[in-house]
Amino acid sequence: LHEGHVVSAQELTVLLQPVFTQKSRNLILFLQDTLSVDDFTYLSESYSNKNPFQNVKAINKLFINLLQEILQTSPSSLVLPAVDCKATNHLLSFLQESGDWKLTNITNLDDSQLEVNASTPNLLVVRLQPLVSGSNEISALEAIAENDKIIGRLTMDLQERGIHFSVIYTAVRPSRISRRTDVVGELRRQLMATEEDDSSSYPPVNVTTGNNICILFYASNFSLKANSSVFIDLTNATFVRQNVDVSSSMCSDTNTTLSLKYTKPVNGITSLEIRFLMTNKFYEGSARNWSTLDSVEIVQDGEKFAKFNVSVISAPAEYSSHCQLVGTSNLYPARLIPFNDEAKNWDVFISSLQIQGFNVENNQFSYASDCTGFFTPGIWMGLVTSIVLLWILSYGIHMIMQLTTNSRFDDPRGPALSVPQTE
């Protein structure tokens, strides 16, 4: 495959045919939330003293060694081939349809005692723990290292029992977005060019009343942190696996509540409910209705209640609301402000938020009204800088205009010129 080639779903089926034609048809699918080819080289080289891919290297030493050798000997940067994110999202369903597999979902990652009947085809699906999205690389390194231990523990157990198997290690979406691969020959970045994030391939969450959708909700990253220590990534459970209960959501012409319920999102939390409360009101100043996201509520285990007031997320009632960054951080343009003491124990991170709770037409988002105001910090900085430069220019022109030339000159053949102090 040439550089930058994106393997489609059809090409992926061809590449996986050797797995289905071999004598041993035991297949293990290790599924992570985010992963990229760059992680195998970057994390291994940057933290060589704590390599997070020891067991993965043992399984496929040839691939990783070849990959590192190519990168080290290359005279310039490379754009490696990749698999289309849509193809990986449908990988599990494709594998189930490709053969008469006995499907086994492994949820208890600490349990290595697994019953495998080697006489029948087995498909083992291991969902690894999610990485700490949006945090530093040390945390991601530790999460990958922990997943690597799980991979090593399970594969070693099967090897000791003499069971032959094949392994697929992949993820739902990429962890690093590289430059666009559809125009490999174009090296220079064009003005206003944007990166295409494959994470947008999954559909939004919807709430229906009868046959019509009344609420749409989407985010490229939806995660929480409890007590500054317990990280909860809800992106996959909400949009990819859709392991979320929205039955408690309510729709009306004036008030809408999006309720997202999760069962055991992480160890130590039995249930978690997140509510988005929106209102639709008429404002005389603009002579039209506006939909506003007023508050966000978090209910843990049916007891602990946290409430946040929301700033600057509103749109005309016919539009949807979009914000690039929403959360509890002071750096985000749209903030979640703690309303009670329990809310101070939570940190919320939402990126590429788009929500619509009123006037949903054709079961899709309407035109998005962005929550970022016209006068962004960059625009204010440019205006202030321009004003300062104009003031300096005006002051300089004023000083130049005050300059005068002499009206009288000394005559060397006459008496010395005397200028009174008053002139």
Side-chain angles (χ1 to χ4, degrees), residues 77-126:
S77 60
L78 293 178
V79 179
L80 298 173
V83 178
D84 188 6
C85 188
K86 295 180 180 179
T88 58
N89 286 340
H90 299 90
L91 179 61
L92 181 57
S93 59
F94 162 71
L95 292 176
Q96 291 176 328
E97 297 171 357
S98 300
D100 187 18
W101 302 97
K102 178 186 177 183
L103 178 62
T104 303
N105 288 293
I106 302 178
T107 56
N108 188 2
L109 300 178
D110 295 330
D111 186 11
S112 61
Q113 300 298 325
L114 183 64
E115 296 183 1
V116 177
N117 185 4
S119 61
T120 60
N122 295 280
L123 175 59
L124 310 179
V125 180
V126 183

Side-chain angles (χ1 to χ4, degrees), residues 207-209 212-216 250-251 256 356-360:
V207 177
T208 59
T209 54
N212 299 321
I213 295 178
C214 62
I215 303 177
L216 288 172
M250 296 181 295
C251 297
T256 296
Q356 184 173 358
F358 306 95
N359 303 312
V360 178

Side-chain angles (χ1 to χ4, degrees), residues 185-203:
E186 187 174 352
L187 299 179
R188 292 181 297 176
R189 182 177 177 88
Q190 299 296 323
L191 182 64
M192 299 299 291
T194 58
E195 301 291 348
E196 294 183 352
D197 190 349
D198 287 335
S199 62
S200 61
S201 60
Y202 45 72

Side-chain angles (χ1 to χ4, degrees), residues 224-231 269 300 304 342-347:
L224 313 172
K225 184 179 287 186
N227 300 318
S228 300
S229 59
V230 181
F231 183 81
I269 297 180
Q300 177 187 345
K304 299 180 180 180
E342 185 62 31
K344 298 178 182 179
N345 299 326
W346 290 90
D347 293 322

